[in-house]
């Protein structure tokens, strides 16, 4: 079985990230996405800020020598949080769980938080398998669905 690894995000990864984030099924599932996922200029501007921010840990997910997604740790609402995006072709194979575990082994910062749309059962499973526990609920406008969406707030101690 091919090994999964993480490496620092490179500028050359951005075109693949943009392509992966055009999938309407993935956009719906993630819910909390860019206002217009097809706006390449906005995507580039957003990623230039991310790339310039040394406080954000940003990693490319590599599996079988393929760039299959991204994972990051950043600050949101004053708390350290994790986020990830996996190309839908690789869903359901345990790869998001592996990527999260590799990142958690790299960053020892705790507590660590995550947020997930309540109906995103796959991502909720990834997070709880890694030890995150639901500590609350929230809701907010989700660009990926064009409406308010309920979400869980999770924490890893």
């Amino acid at each position: 079985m091919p090994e999964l690894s993480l490496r620092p995000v490179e500028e050359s990864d951005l075109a693949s990230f943009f392509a992966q984030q055009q999938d309407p099924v993935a956009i719906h599932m993630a819910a909390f996405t860019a206002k217009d996922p097809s706006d390449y200029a906005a995507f580039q501007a957003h990623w230039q800020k991310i790339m310039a921010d040394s406080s954000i840990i940003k990693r490319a997910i590599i599996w079988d020598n393929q760039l299959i997604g991204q994972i990051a740790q950043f600050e949101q609402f004053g708390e350290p949080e994790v986020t990830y995006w996996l190309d839908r072709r690789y869903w359901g194979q345990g790869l998001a769980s592996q990527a999260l575990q590799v990142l958690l082994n790299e960053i020892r910062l705790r507590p660590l938080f995550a947020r997930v749309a309540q109906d995103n059962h796959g991502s909720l499973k990834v997070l709880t398998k890694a030890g995150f526990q639901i500590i609350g609920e929230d809701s907010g406008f989700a660009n990926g669905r064009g409406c308010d969406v309920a979400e869980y707030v999770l924490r890893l101690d």
Side-chain angles (χ1 to χ4, degrees):
M1 177 180 233
E3 277 206 31
L4 182 135
S5 62
L6 303 182
R7 64 160 169 73
V9 171
E10 301 168 356
E11 291 282 336
S12 60
D13 298 331
L14 300 182
S16 292
F17 293 166
F18 182 75
Q20 290 167 359
Q21 293 177 18
Q22 299 309 298
D23 181 337
V25 173
I27 291 168
H28 180 82
M29 188 60 65
F32 299 94
T33 62
K35 191 173 203 173
D36 178 2
S38 67
D39 184 341
Y40 190 71
F43 171 88
Q44 282 285 76
H46 176 71
W47 267 96
Q48 291 311 311
K49 287 179 189 173
I50 292 171
M51 295 296 281
D53 188 338
S54 62
S55 72
I56 299 173
I57 298 170
K58 48 234 169 242
R59 300 290 182 258
I61 304 170
I62 308 297
W63 184 73
D64 196 20
N65 296 315
Q66 300 289 321
L67 174 62
I68 65 167
Q70 59 185 281
I71 190 165
Q73 185 269 308
F74 65 106
E75 187 173 305
Q76 180 167 279
F77 308 121
E79 302 285 356
E81 189 166 318
V82 294
T83 187
Y84 49 87
W85 187 286
L86 195 66
D87 186 316
R88 185 164 55 107
R89 293 176 293 175
Y90 301 97
W91 290 5
Q93 300 176 45
L95 299 172
S97 292
Q98 287 180 50
L100 181 56
Q101 194 56 59
V102 172
L103 184 70
L104 293 175
N105 289 339
E106 176 183 343
I107 57 171
R108 299 295 182 174
L109 180 64
R110 304 293 187 270
L112 199 54
F113 295 84
R115 291 173 170 263
V116 61
Q118 289 185 6
D119 62 354
N120 186 340
H121 304 293
S123 194
L124 184 59
K125 183 178 178 182
V126 167
L127 292 163
T128 56
K129 182 177 177 181
F132 283 82
Q133 295 182 340
I134 296 171
I135 60 163
E137 297 182 15
D138 200 359
S139 67
F141 185 79
N143 291 318
R145 300 189 189 173
C147 63
D148 281 353
V149 171
E151 65 181 342
Y152 289 121
V153 179
L154 298 98
R155 180 171 139 164
L156 176 68
D157 290 314

